[in-house]
């Protein structure tokens, strides 16, 4: 749909660029006076059911997932296969299993690294400014291309 409408593509591209600039300005304006490990951030834990449904709906409503499966998976299914739907489902389950293993390893390594890494307020401000500047530059570049 986006390839058929140049104006729709331009609108979505500009919205994406504005969002990147918004995120970058937000990072540039962040003021962290105390180190990250000293701040008291109280977040109420969400029930597991709600977390599951948020993730499920995010993936189900994400068009990139459907496009990936429709473009990538069929090339691994023989055209003369008698059970194409079953093969598609099996390949999807294998993909999900691999993704789950990767996400668990990523979460565990991130939790381990965050427990060992202590970031000073000065380094935190510097990182926010660098990343904010990078987001602004990327947003401007996207908008002008």
């Amino acid at each position: 749909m986006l390839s058929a409408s140049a104006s729709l593509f331009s609108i979505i591209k500009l919205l994406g660029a504005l969002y990147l600039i918004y995120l970058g300005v937000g990072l540039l304006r962040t003021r962290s006076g105390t180190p990250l490990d000293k701040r008291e951030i109280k977040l109420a834990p969400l029930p597991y059911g709600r977390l599951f449904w948020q993730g499920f709906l995010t993936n189900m409503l994400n068009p990139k997932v459907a496009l990936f499966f429709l473009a990538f998976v069929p090339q691994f299914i023989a055209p003369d296969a008698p059970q194409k739907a079953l093969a598609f489902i099996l390949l999807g389950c294998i993909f999900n299993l691999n993704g789950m293993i990767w996400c668990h390893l990523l979460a565990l390594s991130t939790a381990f690294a965050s427990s060992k890494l202590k970031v000073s307020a000065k380094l935190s401000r510097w990182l926010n400014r660098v990343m904010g500047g990078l987001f602004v530059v990327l947003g401007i570049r996207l908008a002008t291309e």
Side-chain angles (χ1 to χ4, degrees), residues 37-110:
D37 58 332
K38 300 284 188 206
R39 286 190 225 159
E40 289 192 30
I41 300 173
K42 304 268 185 191
L43 296 176
L46 293 175
Y48 290 129
R50 183 168 177 196
L51 290 173
F52 171 79
W53 284 111
Q54 282 180 346
F56 181 78
L57 287 175
T58 299
N59 280 320
M60 289 302 293
L61 298 175
N62 185 353
K64 292 182 290 185
V65 175
L67 289 174
F68 170 79
F69 275 98
L70 291 175
F72 186 70
V73 174
Q75 63 186 324
F76 297 104
I77 301 172
D80 58 344
Q83 299 289 332
K84 289 185 181 95
L86 182 62
F88 198 83
I89 290 170
L90 179 65
L91 289 174
C93 288
I94 291 170
F95 176 82
N96 284 330
L97 178 67
N98 287 334
M100 183 183 68
I101 292 170
W102 169 251
C103 288
H104 278 82
L105 288 173
L106 189 62
L108 290 172
S109 63
T110 302

Side-chain angles (χ1 to χ4, degrees), residues 3-60:
S3 63
S5 173
S7 58
L8 181 61
F9 176 77
S10 296
I11 290 169
I12 290 176
K13 182 179 85 163
L14 285 175
L15 288 173
L18 289 173
Y19 184 63
L20 281 174
I21 293 169
Y22 169 77
L23 289 175
V25 170
L27 284 171
L28 288 171
R29 295 183 64 206
T30 301
R31 298 185 194 278
S32 57
T34 59
L36 291 176
D37 58 332
K38 300 284 188 206
R39 286 190 225 159
E40 289 192 30
I41 300 173
K42 304 268 185 191
L43 296 176
L46 293 175
Y48 290 129
R50 183 168 177 196
L51 290 173
F52 171 79
W53 284 111
Q54 282 180 346
F56 181 78
L57 287 175
T58 299
N59 280 320
M60 289 302 293

Side-chain angles (χ1 to χ4, degrees), residues 116-127:
K116 301 293 182 197
L117 183 66
K118 305 299 178 205
V119 178
S120 68
K122 186 175 181 180
L123 179 61
S124 176
R125 278 193 304 273
W126 184 81
L127 287 172

